[in-house]
């Protein structure tokens, strides 16, 4: 059994518990009452005309307490204060882990961040049911995560359509050329390339360039996993990343605001013109 399969099993148990408290119809109503979603695609530099896109590196900064590979990462006393520091540093989107068992996240963390900042938020969880998409919107999410490895094509299409119908965008996470082809075929506008092996949890940054070259120029490319320092940001930028998703390096930094500023400057300087 892969780590992904184990995580999803726990996600389903926790989801059933929440659904027993708040029904599908109730959460759908909550989603319709939420304030309109912000445009995460535009915030990440997205434009259907690649020639009109600027060369700035975008950062998705993550509120992340722990991970399956590293365990406890940082004591985050106030997710809201951390989010404010991220926003002040220039983060384009803030990601909040809401998976409880392996990442120590919660919707309470998400709500605290939503109340603190007015930039797009990614509800970072393992989406396996439409309930979670309505739930994300009900809590004010602008962007959700869809992992291609966890979904078949019918589910991915259904979840993408629902996400867009609710006014949100989806970060569609891929790990292989085949998964990228599936994501592109279904019209994904934001594709993440995660260089972490789902079976071993090892990171191979060298995979990014090989995989990213398969993504069309009108799609926002997000480099996921393995950002430790400026050199890693420059590496991803050089090979086509429009944005980076960073968690561990920021929550462990004593000055996350300054770290984000460094990452943006380094990535922007390293980005070549995209001409595929």
């Amino acid at each position: 059994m892969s780590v992904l399969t184990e995580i999803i099993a726990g996600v389903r148990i926790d989801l059933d518990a929440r659904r027993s408290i708040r029904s599908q119809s109730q959460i759908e109503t909550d989603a319709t009452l939420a304030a309109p979603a912000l445009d995460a695609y535009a915030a990440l530099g997205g434009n259907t005309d690649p020639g009109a896109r600027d060369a700035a590196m975008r950062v998705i900064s993550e509120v992340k307490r722990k991970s399956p590979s590293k365990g406890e990462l940082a004591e985050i006393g106030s997710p809201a204060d951390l989010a404010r520091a991220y926003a002040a540093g220039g983060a384009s989107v803030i990601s909040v882990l809401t998976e409880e068992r392996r990442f120590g996240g919660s919707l309470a963390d998400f709500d605290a961040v939503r109340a603190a900042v007015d930039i797009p938020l990614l509800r970072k969880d393992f989406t396996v049911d439409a309930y979670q998409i309505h739930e994300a919107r009900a809590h004010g999410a602008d962007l959700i995560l869809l992992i291609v490895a966890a979904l078949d094509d019918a589910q991915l299409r259904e979840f993408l359509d629902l996400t867009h119908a609710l006014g949100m965008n989806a970060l569609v996470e891929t790990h292989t050329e085949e998964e990228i082809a599936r994501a592109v075929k279904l019209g994904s506008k934001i594709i993440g390339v995660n260089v972490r092996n789902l079976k071993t949890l090892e990171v191979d940054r060298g995979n990014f360039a090989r995989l990213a070259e398969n993504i069309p120029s009108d799609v926002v490319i997000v480099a996921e996993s393995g950002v430790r320092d400026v050199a890693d940001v420059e590496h991803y930028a050089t090979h086509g990343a429009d944005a980076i998703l960073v968690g561990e390096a920021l929550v462990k930094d004593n000055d996350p605001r300054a770290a984000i500023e460094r990452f943006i400057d380094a990535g922007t300087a390293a980005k070549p013109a995209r001409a595929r």
Side-chain angles (χ1 to χ4, degrees):
M1 180 181 293
S2 70
V3 174
L4 178 62
T5 301
E6 293 176 353
I7 291 174
I8 288 175
V11 165
R12 290 189 182 279
I13 293 170
D14 295 338
L15 170 60
D16 287 344
R18 295 197 304 278
R19 184 155 36 200
S20 70
I21 297 170
R22 195 147 195 83
S23 70
Q24 180 80 30
S25 62
Q26 288 174 316
I27 206 69
E28 289 180 12
T29 297
D30 292 345
T32 65
L33 296 175
L38 302 174
D39 190 344
Y41 176 70
L44 291 171
N47 192 311
T48 53
D49 177 7
R53 295 168 67 173
D54 63 60
M57 172 60 73
R58 266 68 177 188
V59 175
I60 303 175
S61 305
E62 195 156 78
V63 177
K64 184 177 186 179
R65 296 179 181 276
K66 63 181 184 179
S67 75
S69 60
K70 298 288 184 67
E72 297 287 343
L73 298 176
E75 180 67 33
I76 301 175
S78 172
D81 287 347
L82 180 58
R84 291 188 191 99
Y86 285 168
S92 296
V93 172
I94 295 176
S95 168
V96 184
L97 261 301
T98 61
E99 196 280 334
E100 300 178 28
R101 296 169 182 249
R102 295 296 189 97
F103 293 88
S106 68
L107 284 165
D109 280 355
F110 189 95
D111 291 341
V113 172
R114 178 73 288 169
V117 299
D118 57 3
I119 63 175
L121 297 190
L122 164 63
R123 191 248 175 120
K124 185 86 173 291
D125 211 316
F126 297 78
T127 306
V128 292
D129 192 287
Y131 184 99
Q132 294 166 283
I133 302 175
H134 289 285
E135 184 179 52
R137 184 80 280 275
H139 284 264
D142 311 290
L143 184 65
I144 66 165
L145 179 70
L146 297 177
I147 302 175
V148 176
L151 305 167
D152 60 33
D153 282 351
Q155 291 171 317
L156 188 57
R157 166 58 69 192
E158 175 192 350
F159 291 171
L160 272 173
D161 288 347
L162 176 57
T163 300
H164 295 153
L166 291 173
M168 298 185 292
N169 282 287
L171 170 58
V172 181
E173 180 176 297
T174 63
H175 300 80
T176 66
E177 291 180 11
E178 185 270 338
E179 289 177 6
I180 288 173
R182 291 174 58 200
V184 170
K185 182 179 179 180
L186 292 173
S188 304
K189 298 195 298 180
I190 306 171
I191 295 179
V193 176
N194 194 330
V195 296
R196 186 180 300 280
N197 186 303
L198 290 177
K199 294 181 179 179
T200 66
L201 299 182
E202 294 179 353
V203 169
D204 185 349
R205 295 166 189 81
N207 283 335
F208 181 81
R210 175 179 60 81
L211 296 173
E213 66 181 11
N214 297 288
I215 301 176
S217 59
D218 61 335
V219 174
V220 169
I221 302 175
V222 180
E224 300 182 54
S225 295
V227 176
R228 300 163 299 187
D229 50 33
V230 163
D232 291 327
V233 178
E234 291 172 339
H235 171 76
Y236 287 139
T238 299
H239 293 290
D242 297 300
I244 54 171
L245 191 155
V246 194
E248 179 182 348
L250 294 178
V251 299
K252 295 172 72 173
D253 196 292
N254 291 325
D255 190 350
R257 173 177 176 171
I260 293 171
E261 292 172 346
R262 290 196 301 273
F263 289 168
I264 292 172
D265 289 346
T268 300
K271 280 179 69 174
R274 293 185 63 185
R276 285 199 295 276

